[in-house]
Amino acid sequence: MADSTLRKYIWLINTILDAGKITFKEISDKWDISTLNYKGTELSKRTFHNHRQAILTELGVDIQCSSMRENSQYFIANQEELENNEVLNWLTDSMATESLLLENKAISDKIVLEPVPGGREWLPVLSQALRDNLRIIFQYTSFHSTKNNLADRILEPLCLKLFKRRWYMLGQTVDSGKRLIFALDRITKLELSSEQFTYPEDFSAKDFFANFYGICSDGYSTPTRVILKCYREFPKYVKSLPLHPSQEELEHGDGFITFGYYMSPAYDFIQEIMSHGDDIEVLTPIWLRNLLKEKSDSLAALYK
């Protein structure tokens, strides 16, 4: 599916979602002034209905009509598909933001964005590798290494993950099948191999990362019950942006709320907890509480 066509599909989904219910004429009027319509083409009913069918077939989003009358309205019949489809949700949000920026160039100096580290240049190659199950040959410089590593690595890519403005690749080694994670911005060379591999039928990218916060699966990665006590105004932030899909509210008190999770409290999660200082207290597990105490004591010692 061409990139420009996908953008049109996402634009149509966003337009109908924003309106709730909308007539074809209203959709056509919005298309006339859309930044995507740089050629000034008219949106015909035939094209519109072709887009509807393609969106249902390729993206799983069902655009239905309230009636067969002239002023009938169109709506998204299965909005839960957008809520449950992380990739489609991300595409929808990203392209909605892109459209907002393009349509408001006059205030571009009043919109401040975060820079994204390098690595995006490898996405097309990795996308092809994932699509065709091709091994890749690459060179990688780790932050834990004292020198650049110029040795070629061979990997069978399994999935891509975006975390805190960085793209990561999960792949398995050819000889042992060990699964490793690499940050794309630390890749210095990348090319496709001509060798195909058999993608593991039992592998699910979503399931692999289900117990983690972020991308780390280190020595603390055994799934366990985690209970956090959040103070003052911070519970509002945790409720609006959950730390993990398993999050549940356990207790409401005077100036605090406790939240429960079932997850693997690995390195990324520990760093996230520490970044919020005394707004979060770890109650359980005890080993994690003690680890946070040790790190807090070490931090305090730096400022004595």
Side-chain angles (χ1 to χ4, degrees):
M1 183 166 50
D3 182 61
S4 60
T5 303
L6 176 60
R7 290 172 183 271
K8 293 174 184 176
Y9 293 169
I10 298 298
W11 176 88
L12 185 55
I13 293 172
N14 280 333
T15 299
I16 298 175
L17 273 177
D18 291 343
K21 289 187 176 181
I22 187 171
T23 65
F24 170 75
K25 184 180 185 309
E26 290 170 332
I27 294 173
S28 180
D29 290 343
K30 290 180 179 293
W31 173 249
D32 288 342
I33 60 175
S34 170
T35 55
L36 288 179
N37 188 18
Y38 58 92
K39 293 183 178 180
T41 57
E42 179 183 353
L43 179 64
S44 67
K45 278 197 173 182
R46 180 179 179 180
T47 298
F48 169 69
H49 289 301
N50 286 340
H51 285 352
R52 279 182 63 198
Q53 183 58 49
I55 288 171
L56 176 60
T57 302
E58 299 182 29
L59 300 179
V61 179
D62 188 11
I63 300 174
Q64 291 191 6
C65 182
S66 61
S67 70
M68 298 303 294
R69 295 192 300 270
E70 181 64 26
N71 291 323
S72 58
Q73 295 180 310
Y74 294 90
F75 61 96
I76 305 295
N78 59 339
Q79 290 196 30
E80 70 280 0
E81 175 66 24
L82 289 177
E83 297 170 0
N84 298 328
N85 189 323
E86 294 181 359
V87 174
L88 182 56
N89 217 348
W90 187 83
L91 282 171
T92 301
D93 290 341
S94 297
M95 292 189 182
T97 302
E98 180 185 62
S99 296
L100 173 68
L101 296 174
L102 289 174
E103 292 168 5
N104 292 277
K105 290 183 179 180
I107 59 169
S108 60
D109 60 332
K110 300 178 182 178
I111 301 175
V112 181
L113 303 174
E114 288 187 292
V116 177
R120 287 173 295 175
E121 65 271 25
W122 307 124
L123 288 175
V125 178
L126 289 172
S127 297
Q128 183 178 346
L130 288 169
R131 183 173 60 249
D132 299 334
N133 294 335
L134 290 173
R135 290 172 177 165
I136 58 170
I137 303 170
F138 69 105
Q139 293 179 0
Y140 188 79
T141 300
S142 171
F143 285 167
H144 302 288
S145 175
T146 57
K147 59 181 180 180
N148 290 336
N149 189 347
L150 299 180
D152 283 345
R153 301 170 182 249
I154 301 177
L155 200 73
E156 298 174 346
L158 298 177
C159 69
L160 292 168
K161 181 177 174 63
L162 182 64
F163 177 63
K164 290 194 172 182
R165 299 184 294 117
R166 272 194 168 96
W167 281 102
Y168 295 86
M169 167 186 60
L170 170 68
Q172 61 187 16
T173 57
V174 176
D175 51 354
S176 64
K178 185 178 181 180
R179 290 173 179 173
L180 303 171
I181 295 174
F182 298 89
L184 266 58
D185 61 314
R186 290 167 233 166
I187 292 177
T188 55
K189 172 187 173 184
L190 174 65
E191 60 185 36
L192 291 174
S193 166
S194 60
E195 299 176 348
Q196 281 192 306
F197 68 96
T198 302
Y199 195 89
E201 294 182 0
D202 60 345
F203 176 78
S204 164
K206 189 172 184 179
D207 290 345
F208 181 87
F209 289 103
N211 290 323
F212 303 138
Y213 172 87
I215 53 94
C216 284
S217 56
D218 53 24
Y220 310 121
S221 60
T222 302
T224 187
R225 180 66 165 169
V226 177
I227 299 179
L228 305 179
K229 190 173 185 179
C230 300
Y231 296 98
R232 296 171 289 277
E233 301 299 318
F234 196 70
K236 297 178 182 178
Y237 293 95
V238 177
K239 289 168 68 174
S240 64
L241 191 63
L243 294 174
H244 188 262
S246 65
Q247 177 173 299
E248 58 178 332
E249 296 180 34
L250 301 178
E251 180 184 0
H252 290 246
D254 185 15
F256 74 89
I257 296 179
T258 59
F259 297 90
Y261 307 85
Y262 183 76
M263 62 180 301
S264 302
Y267 177 81
D268 288 333
F269 183 72
I270 294 170
Q271 293 297 100
E272 178 69 18
I273 297 301
M274 291 197 67
S275 71
H276 297 293
D278 63 355
D279 284 327
I280 296 182
E281 177 186 3
V282 175
L283 299 184
T284 62
I286 295 301
W287 69 262
L288 181 60
R289 180 181 176 88
N290 291 336
L291 178 63
L292 266 293
K293 183 180 183 304
E294 292 174 8
K295 289 182 174 292
S296 298
D297 289 344
S298 297
L299 179 62
L302 292 176
Y303 294 93
K304 286 184 179 179

